[in-house]
Amino acid sequence: PEADRPVVRFVRLPGNDLPLPQRATAGSVGLDLRACVREDVVLAPGQRALIPTGFALALPEGHEAQVRPRSGLALQSGITLLNSPGTIDPDYRGELCVIAINLGEAPATIRRGDRIAQMVIQKVPRIDLVEVQDVRVRRHPVGLVVRAPEDDVRRLPAHAGHAHERIQLTRDHAP
């Protein structure tokens, strides 16, 4: 491993002969997780199942792993993931499992070794929460302006087409 890269340690659990999670291409961000099932799992439409991956991991402090569906799998068979994206905290040490559901119109089969999900590992900043008495939001031509009494203001770009809006205070409101 390179010195400036975080190291994620994987433990291969008993009965797992599958490859380590890996990127499908050099440009891929997500690591493919494979189904470590003993026998085929057939999901009827609307049915869900907990699918093991056969690995446990240790993330570096200040990092999380997000488990996400694979778009090709969803398009081809209707299989996607519940609780998505699923967050794996740095102190979790159990087996990585995914909750698969068949949203398709026909039964779908998950076989041993199938790429069932992808995992993205990210650094997560530690934050402090500050309670304030009021937060006012108003629209501005270049984005949103957020105000808490006596706080500095930062303009954040509005994202056309997004259902959510980003709100950020730039200075704490401690007495």
Side-chain angles (χ1 to χ4, degrees):
E2 292 186 26
D4 62 337
R5 287 191 196 177
V7 173
V8 177
R9 291 172 169 75
F10 280 86
V11 174
R12 185 181 307 275
L13 300 176
N16 181 0
D17 58 353
L18 299 173
L20 279 173
Q22 58 192 343
R23 291 177 172 84
T25 67
S28 295
V29 174
L31 301 164
D32 286 335
L33 298 175
R34 296 178 181 272
C36 189
V37 293
R38 290 183 214 178
E39 53 191 45
D40 291 355
V41 175
V42 179
L43 295 177
Q47 187 178 13
R48 62 185 180 270
L50 187 64
I51 307 296
T53 67
F55 288 102
L57 60 76
L59 292 166
E61 187 61 36
H63 288 75
E64 70 156 341
Q66 290 187 2
V67 179
R68 304 173 181 179
R70 295 190 61 250
S71 57
L73 188 61
L75 179 63
Q76 293 166 9
S77 66
I79 294 177
T80 190
L81 304 181
L82 295 176
N83 189 39
S84 179
T87 296
I88 302 169
D89 294 307
D91 59 351
Y92 178 73
R93 294 295 183 266
E95 181 175 12
L96 298 178
C97 295
V98 299
I99 305 169
I101 186 168
N102 179 1
L103 297 180
E105 298 173 1
T109 302
I110 298 172
R111 294 177 177 81
R112 184 177 186 80
D114 283 354
R115 293 182 301 155
I116 191 71
Q118 56 185 330
M119 181 174 60
V120 175
I121 298 170
Q122 301 183 91
K123 187 171 181 126
V124 178
R126 299 304 288 180
I127 64 166
D128 293 319
L129 297 178
V130 177
E131 183 175 3
V132 296
Q133 296 299 314
D134 186 43
V135 176
R136 295 181 190 102
V137 178
R138 66 180 173 88
R139 294 222 173 258
H140 188 276
V142 295
L144 294 176
V145 175
V146 179
R147 281 189 196 278
E150 302 172 19
D151 280 353
D152 291 339
V153 175
R154 175 182 289 178
R155 289 196 176 119
L156 300 172
H159 297 284
H162 288 155
H164 65 279
E165 298 175 342
R166 293 174 32 192
I167 298 176
Q168 177 177 344
L169 297 176
T170 58
R171 188 178 55 159
D172 65 9
H173 186 67

